[in-house]
Amino acid sequence: MNRRTVSVLFVCTGNICRSPMAQGVAEIMAAKLNKSMMFDSAGTGDWHAGEAPDPRAVEAAARRGYDIADQRARALSDEDFARFDHIIGMDAGHKRWLVTARDVRRLEERPVSMLMDWSVGLAGKGVPDPYYSDDAAFEHALDLIEKGVDGLLRRV
């Protein structure tokens, strides 16, 4: 039987911290579990389009074995709602923005959730934005992202 590849899009504000880290974590974890899945990430805006992830995100991810250095930021497009099976925001603001964008633009119905909704015991929680904080905030964000991605991969 040929299984269909499940596709997941992670979304944060600028696509330079949380969503690229989530994409990198998901790619490695899915490969280790031999899951046929495709991952990408995007931002709610295009402020950083074409830029590499924040160097602090790259370093934090690398310390845990995730290489996100070659990713490039992009803004969410209307076509993403047709391309991806799951669209996952990093916090409640992203989820609201995604649902509103989907509904107002009358885009393809796709499940929109928050990453931590997939984790055990942390549903409804957001992954805090580490951008305006220190290295410890990037580590904390990665801790949560790993938990959320683990739950996602167990349930999809």
Side-chain angles (χ1 to χ4, degrees), residues 105-123:
R105 297 176 194 167
R106 294 188 175 108
L107 301 173
E108 188 104 15
E109 276 290 326
R110 289 291 187 253
V112 173
S113 62
M114 290 192 311
L115 180 60
M116 299 318 296
D117 290 345
W118 294 92
S119 66
V120 175
L122 294 171

Side-chain angles (χ1 to χ4, degrees), residues 95-105:
K95 181 179 178 181
R96 277 191 306 276
W97 188 94
L98 289 163
V99 169
T100 300
R102 179 193 67 199
D103 295 348
V104 167
R105 297 176 194 167

